Amino acid sequence: MKATIKDVAKLAGVSFKTVSRVINREPSVGQELQEKVLAAVKELNYQPNLGARLMRGAASSIGFIYDNPNSNYVIEMQNGILSTCRTEGYELVIHPCDAKSPDILAELTEMLDRSRVGGLVLTPPLSETPAVIAALKKKKVRFVRILSGSHAPDSQSPCVFIDDKTAGFDITQYLIDLGHKRIAFLGGDIEHASSGERLEGYKDALKKNNLRIDESLILPGEYAFESGIERSKKLLSLANKPTAIFACNDEIAAGTLFAARILGVSVPQALSIVGFEDSPFSRQAWPKLTTAQQPNSTIAQTAAKLLINDIRSQRNDDSDAANQGFYPKLVVRDSSCPAAQ
């Protein structure tokens, strides 16, 4: 016979309500009681009934909502969230969407009504869209935002923020220290705040070193390989070519590397290339890409943990929202070197 919660309670010598609190990881149970209950759960191989939890109104799953063309980013985020869900006893509902859709708010509302998740992990650009945040607050849905910035922008929810501006500064300063003066910048999708933050860091580094900001070397675009190829061809056709390119992510950087190879531009001897994220693109390319390491899986694990803690705490005061920051670090590889004299 399959063990029940009452069997666990009897073996542990506690009430079944105490067992429920331990299984749901509520903080009100003491360490000694937790250990007794968990020992009984293990001995009986007890498996909580997620359907029963849902009927009682207890959260048994969280959702991951995203709109991002970068498959590596999505996979790392998904794996990170799943890792935390497995540890904490939650299921994961994954919902890709189009953040530009005029029906996005209705779509999210319908998804929430249908899936009855306990909360959401939001990634850019959804996490940075005021209308989405306002709609979730109105519906009283718990959520955690992964977003670009040096700090949490407000206290509406727990946040995991990535300091893209400082990383953008560090990358540009690294290239300047190598002797590069004509440094181009290839941005990502305008809807993503990360692109603007990295651009600000790039400009700040140029200003600090008294280098002119040449707008002809700053090309907006998409976080995509093809976009990197197209824009890099334009830059490398200039009479006064850049000697270094800061690409807003590794896919763009890989596209830049491809364009350079097509045009016969030697990397890194004639052109240094730096990406961002430390995705598989950066390690599989030849030469391997210098980049900024952004630990997406760890970021996702942290976001899921903040969300589950928020669900369990039943926090009502926005001022108590927990936050966690990440600071991408430069990883020097083979695609960059000192500027030719």
Side-chain angles (χ1 to χ4, degrees):
M1 293 289 291
K2 185 177 180 180
T4 67
I5 192 170
K6 291 183 178 179
D7 295 328
V8 175
K10 183 177 180 180
L11 180 60
V14 300
S15 70
F16 73 87
K17 288 184 178 180
T18 298
V19 176
S20 178
R21 287 198 292 270
V22 171
I23 290 170
N24 291 322
R25 293 176 170 81
E26 294 180 15
S28 57
V29 185
Q31 183 67 31
E32 186 177 344
L33 274 181
Q34 285 187 43
E35 291 174 358
K36 286 178 65 177
V37 171
L38 292 176
V41 167
K42 184 176 181 180
E43 182 175 336
L44 295 172
N45 193 27
Y46 172 68
Q47 300 294 324
N49 187 324
L50 295 181
R53 284 176 66 186
L54 194 59
M55 289 179 66
R56 294 194 305 271
S60 61
S61 63
I62 60 174
F64 169 38
I65 312 295
Y66 70 89
D67 174 11
N68 193 305
N70 186 335
S71 59
N72 290 311
Y73 175 88
V74 172
I75 290 170
E76 288 182 350
M77 283 286 161
Q78 177 180 307
N79 288 342
I81 297 170
L82 272 171
S83 174
T84 297
C85 283
R86 290 191 180 108
T87 301
E88 300 296 328
Y90 275 69
E91 298 296 313
L92 177 62
V93 176
I94 300 171
H95 187 84
C97 62
D98 179 3
K100 298 177 185 176
S101 169
D103 301 320
I104 184 62
L105 298 182
E107 179 183 340
L108 291 180
T109 299
E110 182 181 344
M111 175 265 179
L112 288 166
D113 290 340
R114 184 176 63 249
S115 63
R116 297 176 68 184
V117 293
L120 300 175
V121 175
L122 301 177
T123 55
L126 293 160
S127 59
E128 299 163 340
T129 303
V132 170
I133 304 308
L136 295 178
K137 293 293 286 186
K138 183 177 180 181
K139 201 166 175 58
K140 300 188 185 308
V141 175
R142 294 183 183 274
F143 57 93
V144 62
R145 290 171 289 169
I146 299 173
L147 41 75
S148 179
S150 58
H151 59 274
D154 52 54
S155 57
Q156 294 193 79
S157 76
C159 286
V160 177
F161 57 88
I162 296 96
D163 192 352
D164 290 295
K165 184 176 179 179
T166 298
F169 179 95
D170 291 344
I171 287 171
T172 310
Q173 185 62 56
Y174 161 74
L175 291 170
I176 293 170
D177 291 342
L178 289 176
H180 295 282
K181 292 181 171 59
R182 285 187 60 75
I183 304 170
F185 178 87
L186 299 182
D189 298 74
I190 195 170
E191 296 85 7
H192 291 252
S194 57
S195 182
E197 290 285 316
R198 293 167 195 175
L199 176 58
E200 286 301 309
Y202 160 86
K203 288 181 175 180
D204 284 351
L206 293 180
K207 291 175 185 175
K208 181 182 178 183
N209 291 273
N210 298 314
L211 294 176
R212 184 173 70 90
I213 297 173
D214 186 343
E215 295 295 337
S216 69
L217 297 181
I218 301 174
L219 301 184
E222 299 174 348
Y223 279 124
F225 178 79
E226 294 77 10
S227 181
I229 296 174
E230 179 184 342
R231 288 179 286 164
S232 297
K233 284 181 176 178
K234 290 179 182 178
L235 288 170
L236 296 176
S237 67
L238 295 173
N240 190 10
K241 300 177 180 60
T243 63
I245 295 179
F246 171 11
C248 224
N249 79 344
D250 291 334
E251 286 198 44
I252 299 172
T256 299
L257 186 59
F258 187 78
R261 189 164 295 141
I262 290 173
L263 297 173
V265 177
S266 178
V267 177
Q269 291 80 8
L271 178 70
S272 285
I273 301 172
V274 180
F276 201 108
E277 203 170 293
D278 196 28
S279 72
F281 272 101
S282 68
R283 300 183 292 276
Q284 295 164 359
W286 184 84
K288 292 181 180 180
L289 290 168
T290 295
T291 187
Q293 186 180 59
Q294 179 175 296
N296 289 327
S297 182
T298 304
I299 289 169
Q301 288 176 20
T302 302
K305 183 63 176 174
L306 287 176
L307 176 60
I308 291 170
N309 286 346
D310 199 48
I311 292 169
R312 288 173 176 155
S313 71
Q314 294 296 306
R315 178 183 60 85
N316 294 314
D317 186 354
D318 280 349
S319 64
D320 294 334
N323 304 302
Q324 177 72 51
F326 285 85
Y327 306 88
K329 301 298 181 185
L330 185 68
V331 178
V332 177
R333 295 198 179 106
D334 306 324
S335 66
S336 55
C337 74
Q341 299 302 315

